[in-house]
Amino acid sequence: MNSRRNFFRTTALIAGASALPIPKVLAEDEVVQTTATTSGKLPYKNTYIKNVFVTENEFRNARPVLIEPPGFEKARGILPAPFWKGNETAIQMYWKTWEIAFRNIKNPSPESGFITSYIDTAYNGNIFMWDSNFITLFARYGSRAYPFQKTLDNFYAKQHPDGFICREIWGNTGEDCFHRYDPTSTGPNLIPWSEMEYFRHFGDWERIHKIFPVLSAYYQWLKLNRTWQDGLYWSSGWGTGMDNQPRVSGKYNPIFSHGHMTWLDTCLQQLFIGKILVDFGFYVERWQEIEDIEDELKLLKKLIKEKMWDPKSSFFYDKYANGSMGTLKSIGAYWALWSELLTKDEMKSFIGHLANPETFYRRHPVPSIPANHEKYQADGRYWQGGVWAPTNYMIIKGLQRNGFHPLAFDLAGKHHRQVAEVFKKTNTFWEYYAAEDTEPGLLARPDFVGWTGLVPVAILFESLFGINPDFLKKTINWHINLTDEHGIDRYPIGPDGMLSLKCAARSSAKQRPVIEIHSNIELKLLLSWEDGSETIQIKPGTNKI
């Protein structure tokens, strides 16, 4: 550990309340070249069919840039500062999250070939694609103190010539944990979601131009190597991130095998992510180069609805090799909230399961499988009933996206309160939680920041406070649900924007909110509450509304 610290010596600390740490670029003799494998020795014959987009991947041969973190106490004066009158636990959780997050920032080992410092997954010392996506979805709020989004750059640096990126990479050596043709080797393909949210929040055009070819090549690899004859996708327990869900038929291993099955969540994610890549293509004026993705979206939309939607039970299911539907109502079906597959009436019936106490509306919602399933475990047992921050975030935000604000707020509140009660007992956050008790899930890892940081940061800001930015449109969407006084100081938006947002206490949710916003840039506020909505122009200075 000491030798590593000497190798990656500190070059600068935070200077002032809004300055980022100064990066250190390694000297020529310190650089570990990034290749498909760090050692450069391939144990197999070269079967790569090169993807032209990969030739544009600037991350693969980038020189490592190390960014020394400022430490939590210095970062605290830069980070957004929420307040919520009468709920001190929520504020304590918020700051504890950042304390752990800054403790988990790592410099790459010299042998790894990683190109930047990063926030660790907090699992086993390796970096995980699935986890890092959700970590950066909340960590973007700390971007003025530390560039957490660059965590994803280490995956881009490890892209193979054909576009493949491994889902888990050894932290000490930088080697892939799986051969690219292993059924467990990659997924879920969600990193473009994090990048789009970051882009909308901060408007980083340079980053979008750099990542577009990387993400397009990876999508195309999945399309070529993870589809069946009909064009729908397959994966595995590990590949979906939901390791031990009882999905495949009994003769197959539930964790390692694809089971000759069509995997619903993978299909829905490709539909979701493909739309994001097409949007990126328009932003960077390269959409013509990914017309194959645009064509596939039409096919996926048609096939998923025809083959994986059951109108009788109002739910989506996996598809077995013999053409029959699976029987598990998996939480993964709710990636459909990020598509346009359902009519209004179908959507109401579909989300009705989330409000049903016999399935997903448990003491701590939302379990990963329904409570009336034979494999459901009250203690969580990982993905056999555990409650997970990333899938809850996906559902809550998906409900908001579709206008189901009351249910989204209800689920967010229950989820946040259960995590808070466990926090009061343990003073930390856990990998996942039990649905039937106020306890961590069985064998869950503590200090999991990690994706559980979504709850005290992103769910607090976006779902309980209801504040969602879109710098590309120069807007702030504020859907006010709480009746308590609440708000956020030092809220960042765009390259230089800084807001202070405050909502006064109200006698009821129907009462028009009285708010005050101090801004250093001009924005449009889309204000809404239970009984109304307004569009208001925010000017630099103090705006009392």
Side-chain angles (χ1 to χ4, degrees):
M1 180 63 73
N2 289 336
S3 63
R4 184 180 300 178
R5 287 176 180 167
N6 290 335
F7 185 83
F8 298 127
R9 57 190 178 276
T10 303
T11 59
L13 293 173
I14 287 289
S18 63
L20 281 173
I22 299 173
K24 175 197 173 185
V25 179
L26 294 191
E28 192 74 34
D29 59 351
E30 294 178 294
V31 174
V32 178
Q33 291 297 324
T34 304
T35 57
T37 61
T38 304
S39 66
K41 297 177 181 178
L42 294 171
Y44 313 104
K45 290 188 176 181
N46 187 339
T47 60
Y48 285 112
I49 300 173
K50 294 182 179 179
N51 185 299
V52 66
F53 277 125
V54 179
T55 63
E56 298 181 53
N57 183 339
E58 300 176 28
F59 301 92
R60 295 181 78 229
N61 295 305
R63 189 171 298 172
V65 177
L66 309 179
I67 306 170
E68 194 70 20
F72 171 65
E73 289 306 320
K74 287 191 175 184
R76 183 167 182 152
I78 304 169
L79 293 164
F83 54 93
W84 183 356
K85 192 169 183 179
N87 199 330
E88 286 305 310
T89 300
I91 306 307
Q92 291 168 8
M93 287 167 57
Y94 174 82
W95 290 116
K96 183 70 173 184
T97 297
W98 287 118
E99 179 186 336
I100 298 172
F102 275 85
R103 198 165 69 220
N104 284 342
I105 294 172
K106 287 186 175 181
N107 279 332
S109 70
E111 299 81 16
S112 69
F114 294 151
I115 61 171
T116 184
S117 310
Y118 60 96
I119 180 169
D120 185 44
T121 299
Y123 186 77
N124 62 2
N126 298 342
I127 65 171
F128 288 78
M129 179 186 293
W130 161 247
D131 297 63
S132 296
N133 168 72
F134 287 106
I135 292 168
T136 50
L137 276 167
F138 84 80
R140 75 177 191 272
Y141 288 100
S143 293
R144 296 282 171 83
Y146 194 81
F148 290 101
Q149 198 71 14
K150 288 182 176 293
T151 294
L152 303 176
D153 295 0
N154 289 324
F155 291 97
Y156 305 153
K158 294 295 181 174
Q159 186 167 48
H160 289 231
D162 58 356
F164 170 80
I165 303 174
C166 196
R167 67 172 185 84
E168 181 184 358
I169 301 173
W170 294 104
N172 55 348
T173 66
E175 302 282 357
D176 292 348
C177 290
F178 309 95
H179 189 280
R180 69 190 192 280
Y181 293 137
D182 187 318
T184 68
S185 67
T186 194
N189 179 16
L190 293 173
I191 283 179
W193 180 24
S194 174
E195 294 286 15
M196 178 59 87
E197 292 301 311
Y198 182 80
F199 181 48
R200 285 180 178 149
H201 198 143
F202 296 106
D204 189 343
W205 286 90
E206 180 182 357
R207 182 169 182 85
I208 292 305
H209 280 276
K210 286 181 67 176
I211 66 175
F212 172 75
V214 182
L215 300 177
S216 296
Y218 177 54
Y219 184 101
Q220 291 174 343
W221 187 92
L222 288 165
K223 181 173 179 279
L224 285 171
N225 296 282
R226 288 291 187 265
T227 53
W228 297 121
Q229 190 173 11
D230 63 359
L232 290 172
Y233 283 80
W234 60 266
S235 187
S236 63
W238 271 3
T240 67
M242 302 188 295
D243 307 6
N244 64 334
Q245 277 201 341
R247 298 173 66 174
V248 300
S249 60
K251 62 183 178 181
Y252 297 104
N253 185 285
I255 297 175
F256 306 131
S257 177
H258 58 52
H260 292 99
M261 188 175 76
T262 299
W263 292 67
L264 172 64
D265 46 339
T266 306
C267 295
L268 291 169
Q269 288 159 2
Q270 286 296 94
L271 179 57
F272 170 40
I273 295 306
K275 287 161 53 184
I276 290 177
L277 292 179
V278 170
D279 287 343
F280 279 157
F282 278 100
Y283 285 130
V284 301
E285 299 183 351
R286 298 183 63 178
W287 60 270
Q288 301 95 330
E289 299 173 55
I290 54 169
E291 287 182 337
D292 61 314
I293 295 177
E294 198 167 13
D295 291 339
E296 188 192 29
L297 299 183
K298 298 173 186 175
L299 177 66
L300 283 176
K301 196 170 182 178
K302 178 178 181 290
L303 292 177
I304 294 170
K305 186 67 180 292
E306 286 180 356
K307 297 189 174 187
M308 311 186 82
W309 170 252
D310 175 34
K312 292 182 180 179
S313 61
S314 298
F315 212 81
F316 289 96
Y317 299 92
D318 297 320
K319 201 82 169 176
Y320 292 130
N322 64 5
S324 65
M325 279 188 175
T327 59
L328 175 68
K329 288 184 174 72
S330 167
I331 198 173
Y334 284 99
W335 287 103
L337 293 171
W338 296 86
S339 70
E340 280 73 44
L341 290 170
L342 300 177
T343 66
K344 288 184 178 181
D345 288 340
E346 288 171 337
M347 180 65 80
K348 287 180 182 178
S349 298
F350 178 53
I351 71 165
H353 297 285
L354 295 171
N356 183 354
E358 294 183 4
T359 53
F360 294 112
Y361 196 74
R362 308 301 291 178
R363 178 175 177 178
H364 189 168
V366 178
S368 50
I369 65 174
N372 58 6
H373 191 277
E374 62 181 358
K375 292 287 188 178
Y376 180 79
Q377 304 289 335
D379 58 14
R381 200 67 55 92
Y382 238 55
W383 292 93
Q384 294 183 1
V387 178
W388 297 80
T391 45
N392 267 12
Y393 179 77
M394 172 271 289
I395 287 173
I396 291 164
K397 292 291 290 180
L399 289 170
Q400 289 178 240
R401 177 181 181 270
N402 287 279
F404 293 93
H405 294 286
L407 181 57
F409 181 62
D410 181 40
L411 293 177
K414 283 182 167 60
H415 182 39
H416 190 275
R417 284 192 294 274
Q418 285 292 109
V419 171
E421 289 302 315
V422 177
F423 177 79
K424 288 177 186 177
K425 293 180 182 180
T426 64
N427 195 38
T428 194
F429 307 101
W430 296 82
E431 182 184 6
Y432 73 102
Y433 294 82
E436 307 300 337
D437 292 297
T438 307
E439 298 291 342
L442 181 71
L443 302 179
R445 287 165 172 77
D447 288 350
F448 208 78
V449 181
W451 57 31
T452 306
L454 285 163
V455 184
V457 181
I459 284 180
L460 177 69
F461 284 8
E462 300 165 17
S463 302
L464 295 178
F465 287 4
I467 300 169
N468 290 275
D470 192 338
F471 182 72
L472 301 182
K473 296 180 179 178
K474 302 296 191 295
T475 62
I476 285 282
N477 291 269
W478 193 353
H479 187 90
I480 297 179
N481 298 292
L482 296 173
T483 56
D484 308 315
E485 180 183 325
H486 65 282
I488 309 171
D489 291 325
R490 296 195 302 268
Y491 184 95
I493 182 171
D496 306 302
M498 188 71 76
L499 306 179
S500 175
L501 306 106
K502 180 179 180 180
C503 179
R506 300 182 291 162
S507 59
S508 75
K510 292 182 180 295
Q511 181 183 350
R512 185 201 183 278
V514 175
I515 63 175
E516 182 176 312
I517 298 178
H518 184 85
S519 176
N520 64 347
I521 60 174
E522 189 167 337
L523 291 168
K524 184 186 296 181
L525 172 67
L526 305 179
L527 177 67
S528 58
W529 63 99
E530 185 177 321
D531 222 26
S533 63
E534 295 179 19
T535 299
I536 301 159
Q537 200 66 30
I538 301 298
K539 301 290 186 181
T542 300
N543 300 260
K544 295 185 178 181
I545 302 162

